[in-house]
Amino acid sequence: MDFRSLLPLQAVDQRIAQLEHRKVQLPEHAAASSAAAALHTARVEAERLVKRQGDITGEINRLELRGKELDAKKAKYEAQLKTVIAVREAEALQHEIAGVAGEHSSLDDAELILLDESETLDKRIVESRAAVPTLEAAAEQATTALATVLAAVDAEIAAANDERNRLASAVDGETLALYEQVRTRMSGAAVGEILKGSCGGCRTSLSVKEQAEMKKVADTHDARCPYCGCLLAV
Ligand SMILES: [Zn+2]
C-alpha cells in the first residue's frame, strides 16, 4: 500500500465537500426564496382585496334592494294613511312609517361606510396590481441568479470529480479500499502526514518513539495515528 498516494485524493475530496457545502449555503437561495415569498404575498393580497371588493359590491346591491323594498313599503303606508279615518289606525301607520324610515336611515349609513371602503379598496387594488410586475421581475431575476451560480458550482464539482477519478485510478486497490473505509468513519481527515512531529489529521504531537514505531509499520494497516485513528503517510 502507498498512503502518500492518498494525500492528493483526500485534498480533492475535501474540495468536493467544500463545494457541496457552498452549494447549499449560497446566499442566492435565500434571495430567491424571499423574492418568491414577496411575490406570493403581493398576489395573495391583491386577490384578497379584489375578493373584499366583490363582497362589498354584493352587500351594497343587497342594501340597495332592501332600500327599494322599504321605499315601496313607505309609499304603501303613506297611501293608506290618506284613506284612513280612525285616529288609532292613522297612528299605527305613522308608527310603521317611522320604523321604515329608521331602517332606511341605518341602511344608508351602512351603505355610505361601504362606499367609502370600496373607494379606498379601488386605490389599493390599483397599487397592489401595479406592484406585481416589479416583484415578478425581481423573483425571476433572483431565480436566474441562483441557477447561474448553481451551474457554476456544479461545473466545479464535476471537474473535481473528474480529477478525483483520475487520482483514484492511480491509487492501488487495497490502499483505496482502506481509505474509503476509514473516510466513512472519520469526521476529520482520513489520512495525514507527520508534520513537524505532529499528526496531520488531529495535530496531536507524536513522541519520537511513536514516530519511530510508525516508520516501522509504514503503509500497513497499523500505520494509524494513536490519537485520531487516521492513516499516517510516513
Ligand atoms: Zn491524529
Side-chain angles (χ1 to χ4, degrees):
M1 291 196 285
D2 174 16
F3 288 0
R4 203 153 276 282
S5 67
L6 291 173
L7 293 169
L9 183 64
Q10 173 168 267
V12 78
D13 277 340
Q14 285 169 342
R15 202 164 78 233
I16 291 168
Q18 279 166 4
L19 287 168
E20 295 286 2
H21 179 74
R22 204 172 99 202
K23 198 176 154 179
V24 289
Q25 297 293 325
L26 287 170
E28 284 81 359
H29 282 296
S33 301
S34 74
L39 174 60
H40 177 72
T41 305
R43 280 178 175 155
V44 168
E45 177 64 0
E47 272 173 40
R48 191 188 68 79
L49 295 174
V50 169
K51 190 186 172 296
R52 176 69 189 144
Q53 186 68 292
D55 290 347
I56 287 176
T57 306
E59 183 61 8
I60 288 172
N61 288 342
R62 195 187 67 76
L63 293 175
E64 287 279 323
L65 270 177
R66 181 68 187 142
K68 287 202 175 86
E69 280 171 18
L70 291 173
D71 287 342
K73 228 182 201 179
K74 192 167 163 239
K76 192 183 82 184
Y77 290 147
E78 279 168 351
Q80 282 174 0
L81 192 61
K82 283 179 191 154
T83 61
V84 295
I85 299 151
V87 176
R88 224 183 207 175
E89 244 182 287
E91 276 174 359
L93 280 168
Q94 271 159 353
H95 181 74
E96 289 296 333
I97 290 168
V100 167
E103 194 186 332
H104 208 309
S105 166
S106 302
L107 284 185
D108 288 345
D109 289 347
E111 199 176 330
L112 276 176
I113 291 168
L114 288 172
L115 283 168
D116 201 40
E117 190 185 344
S118 174
E119 205 177 308
T120 311
L121 271 174
D122 276 340
K123 281 183 204 143
R124 287 180 61 196
I125 287 169
V126 168
E127 284 166 8
S128 99
R129 279 183 177 152
V132 168
T134 311
L135 292 169
E136 273 173 348
E140 204 185 309
Q141 201 177 16
T143 306
T144 309
L146 174 61
T148 306
V149 287
L150 276 179
V153 178
D154 280 338
E156 277 189 72
I157 291 172
N161 273 312
D162 285 347
E163 196 186 339
R164 186 196 200 268
N165 290 338
R166 189 177 59 76
L167 291 168
S169 66
V171 179
D172 70 89
E174 199 187 347
T175 306
L176 188 62
L178 182 62
Y179 167 70
E180 297 292 7
Q181 187 196 15
V182 173
R183 195 158 82 100
T184 54
R185 277 187 276 127
M186 303 280 295
S187 55
V191 58
E193 285 179 286
I194 296 177
L195 295 166
K196 291 181 186 166
S198 295
C199 163
C202 65
R203 313 275 173 220
T204 308
S205 168
L206 301 171
S207 70
V208 175
K209 187 168 167 263
E210 282 170 331
Q211 290 181 56
E213 278 168 3
M214 218 44 72
K215 277 195 180 115
K216 280 187 227 162
V217 294
D219 290 326
T220 71
H221 285 267
D222 295 327
R224 308 280 286 257
C225 166
Y227 305 99
C228 71
C230 79
L231 302 170
L232 280 174
V234 185

